[in-house]
Amino acid sequence: MHATAHLLISFALLALAGLLWLWQPAPFVWTPPDASRLAGAGLTVTTYIALCIALLWHRRRPTTSRADVTLVYASQSGSAERLARQTAQALHSPQCLTRVLALEQFEPALISTSMRWLFVVSTTGEGDPPDHALAFARNRMHQSADLSDLSYGLLALGDSSYPHYCAFGRSLDAWLHINKATALFPRIEVDNHDADDLAQWQQAIARALARPALNWADDNATTWQLQAREHLNPGSPGGAIFRLALTTDDPAMLSWQAGDIAEIAVPGSNPKNAHKREYSIASIATTGRLELLVRQMRDENGKLGLGSQYLTQQLQLGDSVRLRIRENRNFHPPAHSAPLILIGNGTGLAGLRAHLHARQHNQAHCNWLLFGERSRKHDRLFGPELDDAVTHGQLAHLDLTFSREGEALRYVQDALLAKRDEVRHWIDQGACIYVCGSSHGMAPGVCAALTEILGQSRLHALRESGRYRSDVY
């Protein structure tokens, strides 16, 4: 609220107080309140309530501050938000004011408050919007809007190895176009953080805004050392999974939260161009070690993938690694008091393990882990650690499924369906659901099972309120 409004309200309240003082008989003697006093008290209370409502309504309204360029992001794992903020920072100057908004804050009424709008959006799951933008996609994007005064550029983040490549970015672009918004340049799609695609975004903005070429540094990585590496599942019918422990001499780097992402710079054939690989962090910062779970990935010819070869074979103990920690607010821990259902498979246990350790650190013991892998004999990852958590009451429930054992419950979604009544009870008690692991098979299967258990509308409500979160790949 502006200072002028504060002054007017203050003067109004002082004037009202003065009138009531004059109304008060002197000397002050307690008597049962007559009608005039009751009316005065009622007027005071009514005025106070009205002012409170006006103040709250003002705070609920989106910001109307003006900006020359507004960056709007829809981000599942933090990449889109980081790129939006980098773009805003690169453009910002006394002559070019910038601001950053989440997509759900965008409203047609705000268009006139900015000359140019730049959207940076990612796609998750089966071509879905990021969780925080779900309500916008389900409601706003199914309605027409007058966007004829909107001039925009759009950057869509995706990975072409997935079937729904940049699907949400394309859908948002189509909605803007249908509603008469004017594109400053054709939609730009970034495939798996490709540096050339990002350079195209920088160049397109510079041309559209008649600015010098933008070229912000995208490497604030720091040096870590490989302290330990352990093969967790020898003999497994699936790919080998390794646990890596990295340390740093810079205490300032020990500040991540459960759910954050480690971006590893993997050396390529050209020493100047490192490839980026992302991994869920499997530990909490208070341990002083950043731990990762890395599965060896192979192509059809059996050749190891670039990232898994580097981290599980090429890198030796004591070697240095260039690493950047990326904040992933969409997968940060819930309130300590909330019960937590953790669901995942494979190396997705990394992100779930960090959350479980954070809960243990904060003495929050109402936790339920459902985890799936291939073989009970070979793939019971962190078995003694999880058994110990159950023994000490840090895990209320532990449900493990193994797809190659011929058991009735092969996958985590089967375990969910088998305990549907307990799932409903936990949700009724305020539980949050966190899913981490494969976007192929596991994540859609879990979503389908939860839809059957809770109903689609309730599951949507959990996502929109932040009680159903995912970090899948």
Side-chain angles (χ1 to χ4, degrees), residues 342 349 352-353 356-357 360 369 371 379-395 397-400:
L342 300 165
L349 185 58
L352 304 182
R353 180 177 184 252
L356 184 56
H357 283 195
Q360 293 168 340
L369 174 63
F371 174 73
D379 293 310
R380 203 172 186 276
L381 309 179
F382 298 108
E385 178 181 302
L386 296 177
D387 291 340
D388 189 64
V390 173
T391 300
H392 289 88
Q394 297 159 339
L395 260 178
H397 298 288
L398 174 62
D399 288 279
L400 304 176

Side-chain angles (χ1 to χ4, degrees), residues 91-218:
L91 288 171
H92 190 81
S93 71
Q95 294 75 39
C96 182
L97 301 180
T98 61
R99 66 180 171 189
V100 179
L101 302 176
L103 181 59
E104 63 270 23
Q105 295 175 293
F106 171 74
E107 293 183 4
L110 292 177
I111 292 175
S112 62
T113 67
S114 188
M115 296 174 61
R116 300 288 186 269
W117 293 77
L118 300 175
F119 295 81
V120 183
V121 300
S122 62
T123 298
T124 187
E126 301 296 308
D128 300 322
D131 290 344
H132 70 92
L134 179 65
F136 183 93
R138 291 178 58 228
N139 300 321
R140 298 276 185 84
M141 289 176 60
H142 284 84
Q143 301 172 0
S144 60
D146 181 7
L147 306 181
S148 55
D149 292 331
L150 178 68
S151 297
Y152 77 97
L154 190 143
L155 181 71
L157 304 184
D159 186 334
S160 60
S161 65
Y162 293 92
H164 303 282
Y165 176 58
C166 291
F168 180 61
R170 294 173 180 178
S171 296
L172 179 60
D173 192 30
W175 179 75
L176 294 169
H177 176 74
I178 289 171
N179 287 284
K180 310 302 182 185
T182 302
L184 296 167
F185 45 82
R187 179 184 67 250
I188 295 173
E189 297 180 349
V190 176
D191 185 5
N192 198 23
H193 306 284
D194 183 80
D196 291 337
D197 295 337
L198 291 173
Q200 185 183 354
W201 168 249
Q202 295 170 332
Q203 294 160 9
I205 293 173
R207 288 193 299 267
L209 303 184
R211 292 285 303 270
L214 301 180
N215 186 23
W216 63 80
D218 194 34

Side-chain angles (χ1 to χ4, degrees), residues 12-346:
L13 290 174
L14 286 172
L16 180 60
L19 289 172
L20 293 175
W21 176 261
L22 293 174
W23 207 348
Q24 170 66 42
F28 178 82
V29 178
W30 168 254
T31 58
D34 56 23
S36 62
R37 289 175 181 167
L38 288 174
L43 178 61
T44 302
V45 172
T46 302
T47 302
Y48 178 76
I49 292 173
L51 290 172
C52 288
I53 292 173
L55 180 60
L56 289 173
W57 175 253
H58 178 86
R59 288 179 175 174
R60 285 172 56 90
R61 293 172 58 195
T63 178
T64 56
S65 60
R66 299 192 62 84
D68 297 291
V69 181
T70 299
L71 276 295
V72 182
Y73 67 86
S75 186
Q76 182 68 15
S77 64
S79 291
E81 181 180 358
R82 178 172 56 82
L83 277 170
R85 295 191 182 280
Q86 282 180 322
T87 305
Q89 185 176 8
L91 288 171
H92 190 81
S93 71
Q95 294 75 39
C96 182
L97 301 180
T98 61
R99 66 180 171 189
V100 179
L101 302 176
L103 181 59
E104 63 270 23
Q105 295 175 293
F106 171 74
E107 293 183 4
L110 292 177
I111 292 175
S112 62
T113 67
S114 188
M115 296 174 61
R116 300 288 186 269
W117 293 77
L118 300 175
F119 295 81
V120 183
V121 300
S122 62
T123 298
T124 187
E126 301 296 308
D128 300 322
D131 290 344
H132 70 92
L134 179 65
F136 183 93
R138 291 178 58 228
N139 300 321
R140 298 276 185 84
M141 289 176 60
H142 284 84
Q143 301 172 0
S144 60
D146 181 7
L147 306 181
S148 55
D149 292 331
L150 178 68
S151 297
Y152 77 97
L154 190 143
L155 181 71
L157 304 184
D159 186 334
S160 60
S161 65
Y162 293 92
H164 303 282
Y165 176 58
C166 291
F168 180 61
R170 294 173 180 178
S171 296
L172 179 60
D173 192 30
W175 179 75
L176 294 169
H177 176 74
I178 289 171
N179 287 284
K180 310 302 182 185
T182 302
L184 296 167
F185 45 82
R187 179 184 67 250
I188 295 173
E189 297 180 349
V190 176
D191 185 5
N192 198 23
H193 306 284
D194 183 80
D196 291 337
D197 295 337
L198 291 173
Q200 185 183 354
W201 168 249
Q202 295 170 332
Q203 294 160 9
I205 293 173
R207 288 193 299 267
L209 303 184
R211 292 285 303 270
L214 301 180
N215 186 23
W216 63 80
D218 194 34
D219 183 18
N220 57 352
T222 57
T223 300
W224 295 65
Q225 288 75 41
L226 179 64
Q227 183 189 70
R229 182 169 57 208
E230 177 187 4
H231 186 185
L232 294 182
N233 62 341
S236 171
I241 295 177
F242 289 81
R243 170 191 185 183
L244 282 70
L246 305 170
T247 59
T248 178
D249 295 329
D250 185 356
M253 294 296 101
L254 301 174
S255 60
W256 68 88
Q257 292 193 53
D260 285 344
I261 304 293
E263 296 179 355
I264 303 288
V266 179
S269 56
N270 183 347
K272 294 183 178 180
N273 295 321
H275 302 271
K276 184 189 300 181
R277 295 293 185 269
E278 300 181 347
Y279 299 93
S280 298
I281 300 176
S283 59
I284 58 175
T286 54
T287 65
R289 300 182 358 151
L290 189 150
E291 297 190 16
L292 308 175
L293 293 185
V294 180
R295 188 191 293 274
Q296 288 186 338
M297 304 298 294
R298 298 179 183 272
D299 63 17
E300 61 275 8
N301 298 317
K303 183 180 178 181
L304 276 175
L306 192 65
S308 57
Q309 180 183 35
Y310 172 63
L311 291 172
T312 67
Q313 285 191 356
Q314 180 181 342
L315 200 66
Q316 300 301 308
L317 295 184
D319 284 354
S320 295
V321 180
R322 295 291 292 170
L323 181 150
R324 174 173 59 191
I325 296 173
R326 188 179 77 240
E327 183 182 39
N328 183 12
R329 287 188 289 176
N330 188 60
F331 208 62
H332 277 177
H336 301 329
S337 58
L340 184 59
I341 303 175
L342 300 165
I343 307 171
N345 72 330

